[in-house]
Amino acid sequence: MANVDPVSIGHDFPAEIRVLHVDNDEKFLQLSRTTLEAEDGIGEVVSVTNNAEATEYLFDRDIDIDCVVSDYELEDGSGLKLLEQVRDRCPYIPFLMFTGTGSEDVASGAISAGATNYLQKGTSSVRFVTLASQIRQAVSRRYVEKQVHRGFRAIDTTSEGIALLTNDFRFNYVNQAYADLFGYDSSTLIGGEWKETLTDEADDRIQSEIIPEVDSAGEWNGDITGKRHDGSTLTLTLTVTVVAEDEYVCAVRDVTERKERERALVRENERLDEFASQVSHDLRGPLSIIYGYLNLARKTGKEEHFDEVETAADRIEAIISDLLEIAREGQKTLKLEEVELVEFAIDVWNGVESEPATLDVESMNDRILADRDRLTELFANLFRNAIEHGGDDVTVSLGKTPGGFYVADDGPGIPEEQRERVLESGYSTEQSGTGLGLSIVQQIADSHGWTIAIGDSTGGGARFAFSDVEYPGTQ
């Protein structure tokens, strides 16, 4: 039993208790062994006369001892010395001081040193019956303590937050996982009120709805909002169970991220439904034109009808191109690089069919961190949008803001009531537009963590300002 973990002494309650009895009176030991082994539940009594033999049985031999019984005075040292050795190596094994040396000081000293109990030998025949009863009680109590320790150790090591609550909803016990969820140390919460880890709304719900149901049904399970030590909130799956009369155990699990993913999925599905509906509508328009003019062409043979078919087909191609770009945006991984803003924007402008439109740039040497491919798409869509709405002679400007940059034009601008909607997929104020270009701009900005603000330019047109832009050396 050398260096035994106090929680792991033995495995289960022994079918027959093995006792180590230490006494310098061999005849008394023989009488004790004969009498105790006749008692129910006691299987073997190992008798030794000194500390050295006792420690050998306890620490060096491969034998399980369930309880130690020792005299106070022994040949090679007092029973207290043996008690100290046992408590140092096996702090939780039952140790009964069974001695003829009787006084309050002796009893007090034994108990203070860690003895489980103190009994006087006496002379009555009942003395061994009493000792047997004390042995059974001590071993049984130790078995219960081990089970409790095992249970709490299991609770302490689980990743699920668990707390025991008194009938006035104060913490009687919390494991560290529970404390960590709310940003506390576990010892800080003990004795505190449960509502300290709940929002006011959640606390009202617990008092009015949850606890009455637990008291009647024995358990409640559902989602509730918790409150961390710093005041932030989290979504919890909570299970509350009655474990004793008006006492409760609650288990919590942080599902904030899962709930946010679920909400995001709902929003995304709604957006996709709306998007699919808008795209279907946009495609049906040019398809109807194509079918109509094809029928006219068949009937009349006039070539101008084919021009209308070609225009409608070009619009379908533009819609499909933008749709593919949106799909790609959702799959791309950012590759951030240093980009010289003005030089990069000019290169993109030169690749857009922009004549006779003009690009006017501020004199600046700003470098930003961005994904080059995505930034190309962002500028290209902004430039095309300005030309589409402002006409061939529109002037587009690029400049610096405190948090990033802006792209503006001197076209007709965007009415204030439309500014939120223009970034939505499929929204367009032009019959020939796909309504997807600015949605792509929004996606690219979001992927970089940038914020878009739409306003009026100094020339009366639209101004798209991008903030929260990263610069080299700020990562």
Side-chain angles (χ1 to χ4, degrees):
M1 294 179 65
N3 298 319
V4 178
D5 178 359
V7 179
S8 61
I9 298 176
H11 299 286
D12 295 297
F13 188 78
E16 291 188 326
I17 298 169
R18 181 181 284 119
V19 178
L20 176 65
H21 193 172
V22 190
D23 198 291
N24 55 16
D25 186 339
E26 293 188 7
K27 289 184 178 181
F28 183 75
L29 285 175
Q30 183 177 358
L31 176 62
S32 170
R33 181 172 61 249
T34 302
T35 307
L36 290 176
E37 288 180 350
E39 290 288 325
D40 289 341
I42 298 178
E44 180 184 2
V45 177
V46 177
S47 301
V48 297
T49 59
N50 54 64
N51 280 9
E53 289 183 281
T55 55
E56 180 185 347
Y57 269 99
L58 283 169
F59 308 136
D60 299 329
R61 296 197 182 189
D62 187 18
I63 180 173
D64 286 333
I65 299 297
D66 301 306
C67 182
V68 178
V69 177
S70 175
D71 195 356
Y72 183 78
E73 295 181 347
L74 299 172
E75 290 180 354
D76 56 351
S78 71
L80 284 181
K81 181 179 179 182
L82 175 61
L83 175 57
E84 290 173 1
Q85 291 177 292
V86 171
R87 284 293 169 255
D88 183 56
R89 301 281 292 276
C90 304
Y92 294 98
I93 190 170
F95 192 109
L96 301 177
M97 195 68 77
F98 189 50
T99 180
T101 304
S103 73
E104 289 186 7
D105 289 342
V106 171
S108 175
I111 298 300
S112 297
T116 306
N117 207 345
Y118 171 88
L119 298 88
Q120 290 200 26
K121 291 179 180 178
T123 58
S124 168
S125 59
V126 180
R127 57 186 170 171
F128 291 112
V129 176
T130 302
L131 177 60
S133 176
Q134 288 293 321
I135 290 170
R136 285 191 294 266
Q137 288 182 31
V139 174
S140 177
R141 189 181 305 115
R142 173 63 195 133
Y143 170 75
V144 172
E145 289 172 355
K146 284 197 293 184
Q147 303 314 305
V148 172
H149 279 300
R150 287 173 179 166
F152 276 102
R153 186 168 64 177
I155 292 173
D156 282 335
T157 57
T158 184
S159 60
E160 189 171 37
I162 297 176
L164 301 181
L165 305 169
T166 61
N167 56 8
D168 60 349
F169 307 110
R170 290 182 176 273
F171 291 109
N172 196 28
Y173 163 85
V174 296
N175 68 352
Q176 194 57 48
Y178 188 101
D180 288 343
L181 275 178
F182 299 95
Y184 291 91
D185 184 82
S186 57
S187 60
T188 305
L189 287 175
I190 303 300
E193 294 184 279
W194 189 19
K195 67 180 181 181
E196 291 301 314
T197 59
L198 302 167
T199 62
D200 291 341
E201 181 181 354
D203 183 49
D204 291 341
R205 186 180 173 206
I206 281 175
Q207 300 298 332
S208 62
E209 173 191 339
I210 296 173
I211 292 303
E213 182 173 338
V214 174
D215 289 341
S216 62
E219 184 177 282
W220 183 90
N221 178 271
D223 292 340
I224 202 163
T225 305
K227 182 177 66 176
R228 297 186 182 93
H229 183 54
D230 62 8
S232 61
T233 61
L234 65 166
T235 305
L236 303 168
T237 291
L238 169 69
T239 301
V240 186
T241 308
V242 175
V243 292
E245 186 176 354
D246 295 330
E247 293 183 341
Y248 310 92
V249 59
C250 70
V252 293
R253 183 168 295 170
D254 184 0
V255 294
T256 306
E257 291 186 6
R258 177 169 64 81
K259 289 296 182 181
E260 181 54 39
R261 287 196 299 270
E262 290 174 357
R263 287 190 289 268
L265 184 59
V266 169
R267 291 193 298 268
E268 182 66 11
N269 286 337
E270 290 174 348
R271 189 189 70 80
L272 287 174
D273 286 344
E274 181 180 351
F275 176 61
S277 175
Q278 181 66 45
V279 170
S280 297
H281 176 270
D282 288 348
L283 288 173
R284 286 193 187 99
L287 281 173
S288 297
I289 292 172
I290 288 173
Y291 290 137
Y293 279 100
L294 281 176
N295 287 331
L296 285 174
R298 288 192 184 101
K299 292 177 181 177
T300 66
K302 293 182 179 180
E303 291 189 4
E304 62 262 28
H305 297 317
F306 292 105
D307 294 336
E308 297 294 341
V309 170
E310 184 177 8
T311 299
D314 287 344
R315 174 165 166 74
I316 290 176
E317 183 179 3
I319 292 173
I320 292 172
S321 177
D322 282 347
L323 285 174
L324 289 173
E325 182 58 37
I326 287 176
R328 293 189 195 103
E329 282 301 322
Q331 298 170 0
K332 289 179 181 176
T333 301
L334 280 183
K335 183 181 178 182
L336 296 180
E337 302 176 59
E338 290 188 24
V339 177
E340 203 288 309
L341 195 60
V342 171
E343 179 182 317
F344 190 86
I346 292 173
D347 285 344
V348 176
W349 176 266
N350 291 334
V352 175
E353 295 180 8
S354 55
E355 292 187 6
T358 303
L359 177 65
D360 182 19
V361 297
E362 288 184 6
S363 177
M364 56 180 177
N365 295 314
D366 280 42
R367 287 179 169 272
I368 66 171
L369 289 174
D371 183 292
R372 288 179 175 271
D373 290 340
R374 289 187 171 191
L375 190 60
T376 299
E377 289 297 328
L378 182 140
F379 279 133
N381 277 286
L382 287 173
F383 294 159
R384 283 195 291 263
N385 182 73
I387 295 168
E388 180 181 321
H389 292 84
D392 290 341
D393 59 348
V394 69
T395 297
V396 179
S397 57
L398 170 69
K400 182 179 179 180
T401 67
F405 62 93
Y406 71 84
V407 176
D409 62 63
D410 60 358
I414 302 173
E416 187 172 351
E417 65 274 10
Q418 295 180 9
R419 289 174 184 172
E420 289 188 12
R421 294 197 62 197
V422 294
L423 298 174
E424 297 174 2
S425 294
Y427 184 81
S428 177
T429 57
E430 296 291 327
Q431 188 67 29
S432 60
T434 67
L436 300 174
L438 292 182
S439 174
I440 295 172
V441 170
Q442 176 74 73
Q443 284 195 16
I444 295 170
D446 287 345
S447 68
H448 282 82
W450 301 343
T451 302
I452 303 178
I454 301 177
D456 295 324
S457 71
T458 55
R463 182 179 188 270
F464 296 83
F466 298 85
S467 57
D468 302 319
V469 176
E470 284 191 63
Y471 297 89
T474 62
Q475 285 183 300

